[in-house]
Amino acid sequence: MSIPIRSLERVREALASMPETESRDRPFVAGEVLLREGERADRIGLVIQGEIELYKRDAEGREHPVGSVRPGQFLGLLLLSSGEPSFLTARAKTDGRLLEMPRKTFLRLLYNLPGFYQMVGPLLLGNLVSRYRRVVQLHLQVAELSRALAAEKAQLQAALEQLEATRNRLIQQEKMATLGQLVAGIAHEINNPVASLARAADAIGPALLGLLERPVEARELEVLREGLQQGLRHQPLQTEVQRERMDQLAVRFPDLPRPVLRTLAQVEPAVLEAFAYYVVANPTVERKELARRWVEMFEIGTLVRSMRVAAERIGGIVRSLKGYSRQDQAELAEVDLRDGLRDTLVLFGYLLKRFQVVVDLPVPLVVRGRPGELNQVWTNLILNACEAMGERGTLTLSGGAEPGAVWVRVQDTGPGVPPALLERIFESGFSTKKPDDPAKGGLGLGLAIARSIVEQHGGRLTVENVPGGGAAFTVRLPAAAAAPTHPPG
Amino acid sequence: MSPIYILCVEDEPEVLAAVVRDLAPFEVRFPIESAATAAEARRVVHEVILPRGKLGVVVCDHLLPGEDGVSFLVALQRDPRTAPARKILLTAQAGLAATVQALNQAQLKHYLAKPWDPEELRAVVRRQLTDFVLEQETDLYPYLTVLEADRLTEKIRQQPLPADR
């Protein structure tokens, strides 16, 4: 609401001409404080020229602009009737001037001086109306802001939930990728013993049938039993030793076919000598035939032995798998970390074949933890080491106990980690793998997952470069008695 | 006539024994040598096989300790003395990438998944040995009983009679 300058000037002149109003001109300069919040003010001012900004302090003491007072408007209006300390701070925005009079005089004249109300009444009313309008507008603005704020909050919440879902999905994918490698590993590990088991089983039937084609005389039985036992006891020779012995036997028995020489090469030399003596000393048809059957019996023994070895291998893999896959076990249990490490090494043996593996775990490493989750840590660290080393290298697993803590170190002979990235490699999604190489499986979450599992167990996972090349990841966990009991997840 | 060798490379002793046993029927004509690692296989090729004869077929495990089977087969393919040998990869994990690499670089003739069928293994080795002798040998009669006789006879029929040479 604006008052024409001319009429305002008339009001000023009229008021100034009445001595009983005790009014006086009060010039002000930009930046000058005319009222201070919380201080008492006993004067009321009518702005004639210039503009004054009003400020209110919030609970933390910050000043906020809440409006302005322009020519024709009153300063100190709120104090008019109450005389309470000032509600606002008034600071001049521009140079200007007020017509000032004491508050009590103003109130008294309002009722007693004829013509005074006619002059200031419309101004007062206009002032109050415009301030009330302003309050209503502010209410509307506050309502609008609250609505926008609520909408923004809901959006943020949705974004956060989406982010969390994505993160969980990525972790799940990472776990599936590891699981894929695990399954490939088991298939590989089981395939070898299954192959030798199947092939030995195939061979043993015909061998027995061939042996029993002719009747066995009672006095031969002892000899054949001896052949079988030799075969059962037999340990496979290194290929080089076998080749050497085969070459020697080929010179000695030029008439024997190579498969027979190969079997003979595996017979203990002392036993073989006794046999050679038995046959050579009196080379009858019967003795030669008995020797032939002894060799067959020996061969059957080696087949049975290799079947047993294969079955043990498969049993061992299944045991490792049982130990490894306690993923769902959410309860804390006292575990020797060496068990999980061994299971993991067995199941990922196919990946480790091209590397030297050194295991130095001399003492029990007992912690309270969730074995399945800890196996995930070993898996991720070992897979990470394999990837760092590429085609060849040495993987060293070491561990030890300290007062109150145990540690496990997984060390590789890869290129190490650039110093600038030493901490970053634990971040989600950080990977040195090429993005176009999804065959490698991982999404770069392996180390992040490992670290979070270790921290949930109250431990620490750190990395350092080893002098001479390679990286060493160290897991440090509280020893069994000192372990915390955080809930899972 | 210098012998044509079959070389088996496999690090698991029981599996190696099974491969050698399955291939024993060929040994009347083709001596079998075996090795547990790529390094040993390389020594066998250069110190045992090549001084005495030729390398005809290699049956090689994929994952070996240290250098893997594919890399060994690729190296054999690069050496002119062993390039003609037929290469068979025996693998417990049929990794596509490794197989493609072997196919391309080692001129891999066949790959077999473990556990293998012995008849199939023998059929594959018989075909590869037949290919090898057809390509490398002139006197084919000694192989008639062991290898694919019909393909050998076909070739023999096309050969000029000794008198015509």
Side-chain angles (χ1 to χ4, degrees), chain A residues 188 191-192 194-196 199-200 203 236 239-240 243 247 258-259 262 299 303 305-306 309 313 350 353-354, chain B residues 11-12 14-16 18 20-22 27 31-34 40 43-44 52 63 65-66 92-93 114-115 118:
Chain A
H188 182 273
N191 250 336
N192 274 326
V194 163
S196 75
R199 303 304 311 110
T239 42
E240 298 193 6
R243 188 159 41 248
D247 282 351
R258 278 176 64 90
R262 187 170 290 112
E299 178 102 48
L303 290 173
R305 184 203 149 272
S306 73
V309 168
R313 275 276 303 278
Y350 79 113
K353 218 162 187 179
R354 57 187 192 269
Chain B
D11 63 313
E12 306 257 347
E14 284 80 21
V15 179
L16 179 62
V20 171
R21 204 164 50 232
D22 283 345
E27 213 164 13
I32 300 174
E33 283 294 346
S34 50
E40 189 194 343
R43 270 201 309 282
V44 170
R52 302 181 194 175
L63 271 186
Q93 50 147 24
K114 288 180 190 171

